[in-house]
PDB file of all heavy atoms in Angstrom:
ATOM      1  N   ASP A 110      81.264  80.384 125.234  1.00  0.00           N
ATOM      2  CA  ASP A 110      81.909  80.899 126.420  1.00  0.00           C
ATOM      3  C   ASP A 110      82.747  82.100 126.142  1.00  0.00           C
ATOM      4  O   ASP A 110      83.494  82.595 127.012  1.00  0.00           O
ATOM      5  CB  ASP A 110      82.836  79.789 126.973  1.00  0.00           C
ATOM      6  CG  ASP A 110      83.925  79.339 126.041  1.00  0.00           C
ATOM      7  OD1 ASP A 110      84.060  79.941 124.908  1.00  0.00           O
ATOM      8  OD2 ASP A 110      84.690  78.376 126.372  1.00  0.00           O
ATOM      9  N   GLY A 111      82.614  82.728 124.959  1.00  0.00           N
ATOM     10  CA  GLY A 111      83.359  83.931 124.610  1.00  0.00           C
ATOM     11  C   GLY A 111      84.790  83.650 124.144  1.00  0.00           C
ATOM     12  O   GLY A 111      85.578  84.582 123.888  1.00  0.00           O
ATOM     13  N   LEU A 112      85.168  82.391 124.019  1.00  0.00           N
ATOM     14  CA  LEU A 112      86.519  82.039 123.660  1.00  0.00           C
ATOM     15  C   LEU A 112      86.552  80.913 122.661  1.00  0.00           C
ATOM     16  O   LEU A 112      87.162  81.024 121.546  1.00  0.00           O
ATOM     17  CB  LEU A 112      87.311  81.598 124.873  1.00  0.00           C
ATOM     18  CG  LEU A 112      88.766  81.294 124.641  1.00  0.00           C
ATOM     19  CD1 LEU A 112      89.521  82.453 124.036  1.00  0.00           C
ATOM     20  CD2 LEU A 112      89.416  80.827 125.936  1.00  0.00           C
ATOM     21  N   HIS A 113      85.878  79.793 122.931  1.00  0.00           N
ATOM     22  CA  HIS A 113      85.921  78.644 122.022  1.00  0.00           C
ATOM     23  C   HIS A 113      84.667  78.707 121.030  1.00  0.00           C
ATOM     24  O   HIS A 113      83.578  78.657 121.493  1.00  0.00           O
ATOM     25  CB  HIS A 113      85.845  77.304 122.823  1.00  0.00           C
ATOM     26  CG  HIS A 113      86.971  77.200 123.805  1.00  0.00           C
ATOM     27  ND1 HIS A 113      86.895  77.716 125.077  1.00  0.00           N
ATOM     28  CD2 HIS A 113      88.137  76.556 123.679  1.00  0.00           C
ATOM     29  CE1 HIS A 113      88.041  77.400 125.681  1.00  0.00           C
ATOM     30  NE2 HIS A 113      88.812  76.728 124.863  1.00  0.00           N
ATOM     31  N   ILE A 114      84.958  78.845 119.777  1.00  0.00           N
ATOM     32  CA  ILE A 114      83.909  78.891 118.775  1.00  0.00           C
ATOM     33  C   ILE A 114      83.525  77.489 118.382  1.00  0.00           C
ATOM     34  O   ILE A 114      84.314  76.729 117.849  1.00  0.00           O
ATOM     35  CB  ILE A 114      84.384  79.709 117.546  1.00  0.00           C
ATOM     36  CG1 ILE A 114      84.687  81.121 118.023  1.00  0.00           C
ATOM     37  CG2 ILE A 114      83.332  79.707 116.469  1.00  0.00           C
ATOM     38  CD1 ILE A 114      85.219  82.028 116.865  1.00  0.00           C
ATOM     39  N   PRO A 115      82.264  77.094 118.617  1.00  0.00           N
ATOM     40  CA  PRO A 115      81.825  75.734 118.481  1.00  0.00           C
ATOM     41  C   PRO A 115      81.463  75.336 117.044  1.00  0.00           C
ATOM     42  O   PRO A 115      80.366  74.818 116.832  1.00  0.00           O
ATOM     43  CB  PRO A 115      80.605  75.653 119.392  1.00  0.00           C
ATOM     44  CG  PRO A 115      80.045  76.992 119.285  1.00  0.00           C
ATOM     45  CD  PRO A 115      81.169  77.909 119.177  1.00  0.00           C
ATOM     46  N   PHE A 116      82.345  75.586 116.134  1.00  0.00           N
ATOM     47  CA  PHE A 116      82.165  75.232 114.740  1.00  0.00           C
ATOM     48  C   PHE A 116      83.422  74.670 114.122  1.00  0.00           C
ATOM     49  O   PHE A 116      84.505  74.842 114.696  1.00  0.00           O
ATOM     50  CB  PHE A 116      81.684  76.413 113.876  1.00  0.00           C
ATOM     51  CG  PHE A 116      80.338  76.953 114.302  1.00  0.00           C
ATOM     52  CD1 PHE A 116      80.180  78.193 114.882  1.00  0.00           C
ATOM     53  CD2 PHE A 116      79.203  76.237 114.006  1.00  0.00           C
ATOM     54  CE1 PHE A 116      78.951  78.686 115.280  1.00  0.00           C
ATOM     55  CE2 PHE A 116      77.908  76.691 114.378  1.00  0.00           C
ATOM     56  CZ  PHE A 116      77.833  77.925 114.987  1.00  0.00           C
ATOM     57  N   GLN A 117      83.240  73.917 113.047  1.00  0.00           N
ATOM     58  CA  GLN A 117      84.400  73.265 112.364  1.00  0.00           C
ATOM     59  C   GLN A 117      85.301  74.258 111.655  1.00  0.00           C
ATOM     60  O   GLN A 117      84.903  75.469 111.463  1.00  0.00           O
ATOM     61  CB  GLN A 117      83.851  72.283 111.320  1.00  0.00           C
ATOM     62  CG  GLN A 117      83.158  72.951 110.186  1.00  0.00           C
ATOM     63  CD  GLN A 117      82.298  71.982 109.321  1.00  0.00           C
ATOM     64  OE1 GLN A 117      81.478  71.312 109.847  1.00  0.00           O
ATOM     65  NE2 GLN A 117      82.569  71.987 108.019  1.00  0.00           N
ATOM     66  N   ASP A 118      86.462  73.810 111.330  1.00  0.00           N
ATOM     67  CA  ASP A 118      87.416  74.649 110.643  1.00  0.00           C
ATOM     68  C   ASP A 118      86.910  75.037 109.252  1.00  0.00           C
ATOM     69  O   ASP A 118      86.181  74.304 108.598  1.00  0.00           O
ATOM     70  CB  ASP A 118      88.720  73.865 110.439  1.00  0.00           C
ATOM     71  CG  ASP A 118      89.434  73.500 111.718  1.00  0.00           C
ATOM     72  OD1 ASP A 118      88.926  73.841 112.802  1.00  0.00           O
ATOM     73  OD2 ASP A 118      90.532  72.887 111.629  1.00  0.00           O
ATOM     74  N   ASN A 119      87.297  76.269 108.846  1.00  0.00           N
ATOM     75  CA  ASN A 119      87.107  76.753 107.515  1.00  0.00           C
ATOM     76  C   ASN A 119      85.612  76.719 107.037  1.00  0.00           C
ATOM     77  O   ASN A 119      85.330  76.361 105.929  1.00  0.00           O
ATOM     78  CB  ASN A 119      87.954  75.938 106.517  1.00  0.00           C
ATOM     79  CG  ASN A 119      89.401  75.987 106.819  1.00  0.00           C
ATOM     80  OD1 ASN A 119      89.972  76.947 107.280  1.00  0.00           O
ATOM     81  ND2 ASN A 119      90.068  74.777 106.706  1.00  0.00           N
ATOM     82  N   LEU A 120      84.716  77.078 107.903  1.00  0.00           N
ATOM     83  CA  LEU A 120      83.282  77.012 107.595  1.00  0.00           C
ATOM     84  C   LEU A 120      82.722  78.294 107.087  1.00  0.00           C
ATOM     85  O   LEU A 120      81.861  78.282 106.219  1.00  0.00           O
ATOM     86  CB  LEU A 120      82.545  76.637 108.920  1.00  0.00           C
ATOM     87  CG  LEU A 120      80.997  76.535 108.797  1.00  0.00           C
ATOM     88  CD1 LEU A 120      80.567  75.528 107.728  1.00  0.00           C
ATOM     89  CD2 LEU A 120      80.391  76.230 110.158  1.00  0.00           C
ATOM     90  N   PHE A 121      83.207  79.439 107.584  1.00  0.00           N
ATOM     91  CA  PHE A 121      82.492  80.706 107.285  1.00  0.00           C
ATOM     92  C   PHE A 121      83.214  81.547 106.237  1.00  0.00           C
ATOM     93  O   PHE A 121      84.435  81.671 106.200  1.00  0.00           O
ATOM     94  CB  PHE A 121      82.398  81.523 108.598  1.00  0.00           C
ATOM     95  CG  PHE A 121      81.518  80.841 109.628  1.00  0.00           C
ATOM     96  CD1 PHE A 121      82.079  80.170 110.698  1.00  0.00           C
ATOM     97  CD2 PHE A 121      80.115  80.909 109.515  1.00  0.00           C
ATOM     98  CE1 PHE A 121      81.295  79.516 111.566  1.00  0.00           C
ATOM     99  CE2 PHE A 121      79.312  80.289 110.421  1.00  0.00           C
ATOM    100  CZ  PHE A 121      79.897  79.571 111.473  1.00  0.00           C
ATOM    101  N   ASP A 122      82.356  82.217 105.413  1.00  0.00           N
ATOM    102  CA  ASP A 122      82.872  83.174 104.412  1.00  0.00           C
ATOM    103  C   ASP A 122      83.137  84.484 105.063  1.00  0.00           C
ATOM    104  O   ASP A 122      84.099  85.205 104.708  1.00  0.00           O
ATOM    105  CB  ASP A 122      81.872  83.296 103.290  1.00  0.00           C
ATOM    106  CG  ASP A 122      81.634  81.994 102.567  1.00  0.00           C
ATOM    107  OD1 ASP A 122      82.470  81.605 101.748  1.00  0.00           O
ATOM    108  OD2 ASP A 122      80.517  81.405 102.823  1.00  0.00           O
ATOM    109  N   LYS A 123      82.221  84.939 105.964  1.00  0.00           N
ATOM    110  CA  LYS A 123      82.334  86.245 106.569  1.00  0.00           C
ATOM    111  C   LYS A 123      82.052  86.104 108.084  1.00  0.00           C
ATOM    112  O   LYS A 123      81.165  85.369 108.483  1.00  0.00           O
ATOM    113  CB  LYS A 123      81.285  87.219 105.968  1.00  0.00           C
ATOM    114  CG  LYS A 123      81.304  87.272 104.429  1.00  0.00           C
ATOM    115  CD  LYS A 123      82.525  87.997 103.886  1.00  0.00           C
ATOM    116  CE  LYS A 123      82.725  87.744 102.390  1.00  0.00           C
ATOM    117  NZ  LYS A 123      81.638  88.152 101.545  1.00  0.00           N
ATOM    118  N   ILE A 124      82.797  86.847 108.862  1.00  0.00           N
ATOM    119  CA  ILE A 124      82.583  86.902 110.291  1.00  0.00           C
ATOM    120  C   ILE A 124      82.631  88.387 110.751  1.00  0.00           C
ATOM    121  O   ILE A 124      83.383  89.112 110.272  1.00  0.00           O
ATOM    122  CB  ILE A 124      83.708  86.109 111.047  1.00  0.00           C
ATOM    123  CG1 ILE A 124      83.669  84.607 110.617  1.00  0.00           C
ATOM    124  CG2 ILE A 124      83.541  86.189 112.556  1.00  0.00           C
ATOM    125  CD1 ILE A 124      84.820  83.788 111.259  1.00  0.00           C
ATOM    126  N   LEU A 125      81.664  88.714 111.665  1.00  0.00           N
ATOM    127  CA  LEU A 125      81.645  90.058 112.137  1.00  0.00           C
ATOM    128  C   LEU A 125      81.386  90.094 113.625  1.00  0.00           C
ATOM    129  O   LEU A 125      80.826  89.165 114.202  1.00  0.00           O
ATOM    130  CB  LEU A 125      80.566  90.928 111.407  1.00  0.00           C
ATOM    131  CG  LEU A 125      79.065  90.609 111.697  1.00  0.00           C
ATOM    132  CD1 LEU A 125      78.240  91.853 111.480  1.00  0.00           C
ATOM    133  CD2 LEU A 125      78.535  89.486 110.823  1.00  0.00           C
ATOM    134  N   SER A 126      81.795  91.185 114.179  1.00  0.00           N
ATOM    135  CA  SER A 126      81.513  91.472 115.598  1.00  0.00           C
ATOM    136  C   SER A 126      81.573  92.958 115.769  1.00  0.00           C
ATOM    137  O   SER A 126      82.569  93.632 115.418  1.00  0.00           O
ATOM    138  CB  SER A 126      82.576  90.766 116.538  1.00  0.00           C
ATOM    139  OG  SER A 126      82.123  90.779 117.863  1.00  0.00           O
ATOM    140  N   VAL A 127      80.524  93.470 116.380  1.00  0.00           N
ATOM    141  CA  VAL A 127      80.378  94.939 116.546  1.00  0.00           C
ATOM    142  C   VAL A 127      80.259  95.282 118.028  1.00  0.00           C
ATOM    143  O   VAL A 127      79.377  94.802 118.731  1.00  0.00           O
ATOM    144  CB  VAL A 127      79.102  95.470 115.791  1.00  0.00           C
ATOM    145  CG1 VAL A 127      78.928  96.970 116.013  1.00  0.00           C
ATOM    146  CG2 VAL A 127      79.188  95.144 114.267  1.00  0.00           C
ATOM    147  N   ASN A 128      81.142  96.153 118.460  1.00  0.00           N
ATOM    148  CA  ASN A 128      81.166  96.625 119.870  1.00  0.00           C
ATOM    149  C   ASN A 128      81.199  95.465 120.874  1.00  0.00           C
ATOM    150  O   ASN A 128      80.605  95.548 121.960  1.00  0.00           O
ATOM    151  CB  ASN A 128      79.867  97.481 120.112  1.00  0.00           C
ATOM    152  CG  ASN A 128      80.009  98.900 119.682  1.00  0.00           C
ATOM    153  OD1 ASN A 128      81.156  99.402 119.613  1.00  0.00           O
ATOM    154  ND2 ASN A 128      78.946  99.591 119.449  1.00  0.00           N
ATOM    155  N   THR A 129      82.039  94.537 120.621  1.00  0.00           N
ATOM    156  CA  THR A 129      82.359  93.427 121.603  1.00  0.00           C
ATOM    157  C   THR A 129      83.803  93.373 121.993  1.00  0.00           C
ATOM    158  O   THR A 129      84.121  92.822 123.029  1.00  0.00           O
ATOM    159  CB  THR A 129      81.872  92.063 121.113  1.00  0.00           C
ATOM    160  OG1 THR A 129      82.808  91.658 120.050  1.00  0.00           O
ATOM    161  CG2 THR A 129      80.444  92.054 120.650  1.00  0.00           C
TER     162      THR A 129
END
Side-chain angles (χ1 to χ4, degrees):
D110 62 4
L112 183 60
H113 302 85
I114 297 178
F116 294 110
Q117 67 194 54
D118 296 2
N119 304 321
L120 177 60
F121 296 101
D122 299 283
K123 310 287 167 59
I124 299 176
L125 72 152
S126 193
V127 177
N128 274 339
T129 70

